[in-house]
Amino acid sequence: MKKIVISILLSLIGFYIATFAFTFQHSLLIALIVFLVVLWTNEGLPLGVVSLLPIILFPSFDIISTKQAVANYSNSIIFLFLGGFMIAVATEKTNLHRYISGKLLTIFPKTVRGVIFSLAITSALLSSLISNTTTALLLLPIAMFLTSDTKLKVRLALSIAYGASIGGIITPIGTPPNLILLGFMGQHGIEAIPFVNWFFLTAPLAFVMLLIIPFILSIGASDLKFDEHLESREQLNAERKRLLYILGALIVLLFANSKIEPFYSGLGLNEKGILLGFGLLMFVPKIGFLTWEDTKKIPYEIIFLFGAGFTIANAFSSTGLASEVAGYLLGLSQLPTLVLILLVATLITFTTEVTSNTALISIALPIIYSLAETVNIDITLVLLVSTICASYAFMLPIATPPNAIAMGSGAVKVKDMAKFGFIFNILGILAITTIALVYWQYFI
């Protein structure tokens, strides 16, 4: 009860402060978001319960209607998660992750730092070619089997989640905000960044982050141990082999479906439909591995969490809070370029923490575009900074799909993610700002 009281008090403080700059309704919305974020962080209520509160709170305070709120909990990306979780449950049920984990330790260094680096790099490389959400869903069950040490599980789960976010920015297809940016640029007559150019712009940033983040995650973890039973060789029986073939087919299909403009336009299939389809395939007799009882293992609280994120984004837009924030940002147009880029990077990174990056960037790009039009700064540069920052939010599970998937493992607590994530947010902001001013502005 004490944690709930603290959440209420902090939300009241947030409301009071907000009234100095925003309307009454917007101040209420900010207060409610503070309340939800504090409850997510201090775990005063279960994650799933807090994630359902917007359905009650937002209509009660006349922010948006119940119909508007509920609709966000059936966003199409939620079904991508559902399919991915079904595949993850099948992997665990067949113990395929035991076989893959054993193989993993024979390839990469068996030190804690070596495995953390290898998981982060593998996750980043896969995420540059297929969705970072899909990558995290596929890799996490493997990592969770490497150890029974709960402290080490946290670091392994975060290495995959953060690696997926880091690598997702390397190509336009790695994460939805990248594609949203390209679509936005097309709508406003801005020349799109070609696939190859995008790679050469973002790869140095990803490389720097892949050096820093796994290193920090491995600090103080040298005494943590992997399980001894992983040294034994697991047999690849017929059931595991069948699932391995299905996963291989899924990866091939995801690669084939990925666009590489201007060279290849992909298959044109909906990735959410692909993941859900393969998830449902897990229930087909003679092919799949699951019964309906197995669905109890699906972390539905993560699905509710994303519904809450989309609801917050919808409230930002429909109440006009996003436009009001844009108005305040326009007042910063006289600031030096360095300060302006740093402020935009900081604002986007930390705002993304309380809503999904996909929803946030959809709201933010029009705001940032209006800001860039009024100042002497390259529009493409500031839009790219905003888009990358939306993926480099590491503090809370609602921010990015990989963060939410790490929470779904059951190993990571919100306070663990917030502790590491705050440091990585700051490092990400500094790295993005530096590379934008030293490198991007001369080659965009």
Side-chain angles (χ1 to χ4, degrees):
M1 192 65 189
K2 180 181 177 182
K3 293 178 178 179
I4 298 175
V5 172
I6 291 172
S7 302
I8 294 172
L9 289 175
L10 289 175
S11 69
L12 290 174
I13 293 171
F15 173 78
Y16 175 73
I17 295 172
T19 55
F20 288 99
F22 297 99
T23 65
F24 179 78
Q25 185 190 39
H26 293 165
S27 299
L28 272 178
L29 175 55
I30 291 169
L32 291 174
I33 292 171
V34 170
F35 177 67
L36 294 170
V37 170
V38 175
L39 273 181
W40 274 319
T41 306
N42 69 13
E43 299 176 348
L45 289 171
L47 182 70
V49 172
V50 180
S51 300
L52 289 171
L53 287 178
I55 298 176
I56 299 173
L57 294 178
F58 285 12
S60 298
F61 286 91
D62 200 28
I63 304 296
I64 57 175
S65 69
T66 302
K67 184 177 180 180
Q68 281 179 283
V70 170
N72 293 290
Y73 288 78
S74 59
N75 188 287
S76 60
I77 197 173
I78 287 172
F79 295 94
L80 182 149
F81 275 96
L82 192 58
F85 284 135
M86 290 173 181
I87 294 170
V89 171
T91 302
E92 182 181 349
K93 185 175 182 179
T94 60
N95 287 322
L96 177 62
H97 56 312
R98 295 190 182 205
Y99 172 80
I100 298 175
S101 299
K103 290 292 184 183
L104 188 68
L105 288 184
T106 64
I107 298 171
F108 295 112
K110 295 180 183 178
T111 63
V112 171
R113 178 160 290 168
V115 173
I116 287 175
F117 263 94
S118 64
L119 288 173
I121 291 169
T122 300
S123 183
L125 291 176
L126 283 175
S127 293
S128 69
L129 297 169
I130 61 177
S131 159
N132 60 358
T133 306
T134 304
T135 297
L137 284 167
L138 292 175
L139 290 181
L140 200 63
I142 298 168
M144 289 299 94
F145 185 71
L146 289 171
T147 181
S148 55
D149 188 316
T150 53
K151 292 182 180 179
L152 184 51
K153 279 188 174 185
V154 170
R155 295 172 189 250
L156 296 181
L158 291 179
S159 70
I160 287 175
Y162 294 160
S165 292
I166 291 168
I169 62 105
I170 295 176
T171 65
I173 61 176
T175 184
N178 299 355
L179 297 172
I180 292 171
L181 170 62
L182 294 179
F184 181 86
M185 293 172 74
Q187 289 174 349
H188 290 78
I190 305 170
E191 184 179 354
I193 304 171
F195 189 96
V196 175
N197 293 27
W198 183 293
F199 172 81
F200 283 110
L201 287 170
T202 57
L205 172 62
F207 177 77
V208 169
M209 296 297 284
L210 281 174
L211 287 178
I212 296 172
I213 287 184
F215 180 81
I216 294 176
L217 282 174
S218 62
I219 292 175
S222 57
D223 294 334
L224 305 178
K225 302 295 182 184
F226 296 104
D227 291 353
E228 292 182 4
H229 68 266
L230 292 174
E231 299 296 332
S232 62
R233 291 184 177 273
E234 290 282 342
Q235 297 298 315
L236 190 61
N237 58 28
E239 188 178 54
R240 294 175 189 171
K241 191 177 293 185
R242 187 168 79 250
L243 179 54
L244 200 59
Y245 289 149
I246 292 173
L247 291 177
L250 171 60
I251 292 171
V252 169
L253 183 57
L254 289 169
F255 273 105
N257 192 55
S258 299
K259 292 182 179 180
I260 306 178
E261 299 289 359
F263 309 106
Y264 177 62
S265 59
L267 300 177
L269 301 176
N270 187 294
E271 191 170 89
K272 303 172 186 69
I274 293 174
L275 262 292
L276 181 60
F278 271 80
L280 295 176
L281 188 65
M282 297 297 102
F283 295 89
V284 177
K286 307 295 184 182
I287 297 177
F289 314 88
L290 302 181
T291 64
W292 190 249
E293 287 296 309
D294 294 315
T295 60
K296 292 178 181 178
K297 297 181 180 179
I298 293 174
Y300 292 103
E301 66 271 17
I302 301 303
I303 293 173
F304 296 150
L305 176 69
F306 262 83
F310 288 120
T311 305
I312 291 171
N314 179 255
F316 259 86
S317 179
S318 61
T319 61
L321 179 56
S323 299
E324 192 166 350
V325 172
Y328 285 117
L329 284 178
L330 292 176
L332 305 174
S333 59
Q334 302 304 315
L335 292 173
T337 301
L338 168 62
V339 178
L340 193 59
I341 292 291
L342 192 60
L343 283 174
V344 168
T346 303
L347 178 67
I348 296 296
T349 299
F350 283 99
T351 305
T352 302
E353 297 293 356
V354 297
T355 184
S356 81
N357 62 350
T358 303
L360 184 278
I361 203 62
S362 299
I363 297 170
L365 286 180
I367 298 172
I368 301 302
Y369 178 77
S370 299
L371 174 64
E373 280 190 314
T374 65
V375 299
N376 186 25
I377 189 171
D378 187 280
I379 291 178
T380 302
L381 174 68
V382 73
L383 290 177
L384 183 60
V385 167
S386 303
T387 302
I388 301 304
C389 286
S391 291
Y392 277 22
F394 303 107
M395 277 184 64
L396 294 175
I398 201 170
T400 66
N403 287 9
I405 292 164
M407 281 292 301
S409 69
V412 181
K413 302 295 184 185
V414 176
K415 60 183 178 182
D416 298 322
M417 187 174 287
K419 179 179 69 174
F420 284 108
F422 179 76
I423 297 170
F424 297 150
N425 276 8
I426 300 300
L427 292 173
I429 290 166
L430 294 176
I432 292 167
T433 301
T434 302
I435 287 179
L437 295 175
V438 172
Y439 177 42
W440 290 352
Q441 72 170 336
Y442 298 108
F443 293 95
I444 286 180

